[in-house]
Amino acid sequence: MADRALRGTSIGSKSLETEDGVVFADRIEATYVVPLTGETFTVPFSSEAEPPAVWESKTGQQALLQGASKPKDEKPSKPQRTHWDMLLERRSLEELQVLLDEQLKMLHEGRLREGVHYRRR
């Protein structure tokens, strides 16, 4: 009982279980290289899994599996739509200018209050 007492240990950071009789899965380490910077890193995989040819590094750049070439069947990605793009789908620049002028006029006249959203109906 004394060897399993919780006194002196920090609960949650240490396990009291042993690794006796545990059979660990076979692993391989795949090495990836970022072509632009030359950064290399390894990622562990199960020996039964096939490592992907492309992996994202911690810096957010695309890294290639060492010894592999970049896959050619990559889908072209759509450009990300911004708030401005979606706004322009709903209103024209002229409409937006009218709304801006109305809001600025109300602001200068002191008719806008903090926390209140005004909408023309």
Side-chain angles (χ1 to χ4, degrees):
M1 178 69 179
D3 61 346
R4 303 213 16 111
L6 296 177
R7 183 179 47 199
T9 63
S10 49
I11 304 276
S13 65
K14 295 183 178 83
S15 172
L16 298 177
E17 294 183 20
T18 64
E19 295 178 355
D20 296 337
V22 176
V23 179
F24 294 105
D26 293 331
R27 299 223 174 251
I28 59 170
E29 286 195 352
T31 303
Y32 288 90
V33 180
V34 178
L36 298 175
T37 62
E39 169 193 1
T40 61
F41 58 93
T42 59
V43 179
F45 289 98
S46 168
S47 61
E48 299 171 359
E50 183 178 334
V54 179
W55 193 269
E56 187 174 319
S57 72
K58 289 183 180 179
T59 59
Q61 298 178 356
Q62 294 292 322
L64 295 174
L65 182 63
Q66 195 171 33
S69 60
K70 190 170 185 174
K72 297 180 184 193
D73 60 342
E74 219 174 271
K75 296 179 184 176
S77 61
K78 295 191 318 188
Q80 186 173 357
R81 287 176 37 197
T82 63
H83 176 72
W84 180 248
D85 295 331
M86 290 184 267
L87 185 63
L88 288 178
E89 290 174 6
R90 295 188 309 259
R91 299 187 187 271
S92 68
L93 286 175
E94 293 79 23
E95 290 175 311
L96 292 172
Q97 186 62 49
V98 169
L99 288 173
L100 176 64
D101 292 339
E102 287 176 4
Q103 292 292 307
L104 287 174
K105 181 180 176 188
M106 290 171 69
L107 177 67
H108 292 297
E109 293 173 352
R111 293 191 294 155
L112 292 181
R113 290 181 292 155
E114 203 172 303
V116 178
H117 299 286
Y118 295 91
R119 232 184 204 174
R120 202 169 87 177
R121 294 182 192 243

